[in-house]
Amino acid sequence: MNNKNRSAELTTSKTAPEPKILVMIPAYNEQENIARVIKCIHDYVPKADVIVIDDGSIDATKAMAESAGAQVVSLPFNMGYGVACQTGFKYAFRNGYDYLVQMDGDGQHEPKCIPEMLAAVQNPDVDIVLGSRWLGLVEYKGPMMRKFGKFFFGYLASKITRHNVTDPTTGFQALSRPVILFYCTDVYPVDYPDADVIIMLDRAGFKVKEVPVIMYLNQTGQSMHAGILRPLYYGIKMLMSITMTLLRDDRDLRRQWPSEIVTTTEREVA
């Protein structure tokens, strides 16, 4: 390599710093699992920062997360999955992160899948990566109600977006900065962000990609959709949310926001 090429290479390396990456974990009463999850994240993505959004836990989740080396933001009481997630998105945006990986703190999501998800979302043709447990990496034997919800809402999302959606309820995602900003706005649902958000992303012009990931069954018995009434409520609420998403004016969702809208949103987030 001649001196000119070497100089150009050094200049490029100086002007292209490594992206800032945050792994965000919404957690509620996960003292049994959270430290192990954080340790695995550090093993597979040692350069990433880890933040736990403690959603009003009444156990030692906060202490265990901090002892494992994560930053912790504690909500004053249990405010729900969507609120906890959006808290993490706003933290990521305020602190200048380029990419965010969202995953659960109960040990269901396999941290060794994170590097592949990050590699996929850093492709300029991809804005958000959804980790799918149903794409054949390993066999996932979930509850019957979850399989039905996956099929039904996956079918709806696939028909509406014209892209195959195999895991509409996945909480294992990798987001680019534009999507982080999008999730900081009022369009993000604060209770059950699932198939409706995938449809919103598509209508806003974002490019969504699914990749196979490893997920394990929840051994603790805790679930947002446990029991009989919760799945029923979830189904009705999701149908209503999808309907409202389809009725909403696309101009409120477009990806190419005018500069004044982006500036206003950034000011609100900050």
Side-chain angles (χ1 to χ4, degrees), residues 34-249:
I34 195 67
R36 175 174 55 85
V37 171
I38 293 168
K39 180 184 181 303
C40 289
I41 293 170
H42 287 315
D43 288 342
Y44 288 105
V45 277
K47 294 184 179 180
D49 295 329
V50 181
I51 186 168
V52 173
I53 309 300
D54 176 24
D55 190 17
S57 298
I58 57 176
D59 64 0
T61 295
K62 180 177 186 292
M64 297 298 291
E66 289 177 335
S67 67
Q71 302 176 68
V72 178
V73 171
S74 294
L75 302 181
F77 52 87
N78 184 238
M79 302 181 73
Y81 183 75
V83 173
C85 287
Q86 193 175 64
T87 300
F89 302 143
K90 290 182 177 180
Y91 177 93
F93 189 82
R94 287 175 181 173
N95 289 277
Y97 285 95
D98 301 297
Y99 299 98
L100 178 146
V101 176
Q102 172 190 330
M103 63 183 299
D104 291 347
D106 57 8
Q108 289 193 81
H109 299 158
E110 176 53 68
K112 74 178 182 181
C113 298
I114 294 177
E116 183 177 350
M117 296 176 69
L118 285 171
V121 79
Q122 291 181 51
N123 185 313
D125 293 327
V126 177
D127 295 303
I128 178 170
V129 170
L130 307 179
S132 174
R133 76 201 83 186
W134 308 105
L135 284 178
L137 202 57
V138 295
E139 185 179 4
Y140 181 88
K141 298 180 179 179
M144 186 58 64
M145 284 297 293
R146 181 175 290 277
K147 287 184 177 180
F148 175 78
K150 166 262 174 186
F151 173 80
F152 181 73
F153 288 110
Y155 175 81
L156 279 183
S158 298
K159 285 295 184 180
I160 293 170
T161 65
R162 297 183 181 179
H163 300 290
N164 189 31
V165 178
T166 66
D167 198 347
T169 65
T170 181
F172 201 5
Q173 306 180 8
L175 291 59
S176 63
R177 187 167 174 82
V179 176
I180 294 172
L181 172 59
F182 184 72
Y183 278 6
C184 289
T185 65
D186 290 340
V187 300
Y188 187 79
V190 294
D191 45 10
Y192 296 127
D194 285 330
D196 51 347
V197 174
I198 297 174
I199 295 170
M200 278 194 291
L201 288 166
D202 179 77
R203 287 167 62 82
F206 291 103
K207 297 174 183 178
V208 182
K209 179 178 181 178
E210 280 192 328
V211 299
V213 296
I214 299 172
M215 292 193 196
Y216 306 105
L217 289 177
N218 187 342
Q219 302 299 325
T220 66
Q222 300 182 35
S223 173
M224 292 186 298
H225 309 306
I228 298 176
L229 294 180
R230 284 184 180 180
L232 180 62
Y233 170 79
Y234 168 82
I236 295 173
K237 184 70 169 61
M238 187 56 56
L239 286 173
M240 292 176 61
S241 182
I242 290 174
T243 301
M244 293 305 297
T245 297
L246 296 176
L247 292 174
R248 186 184 291 115
D249 191 334

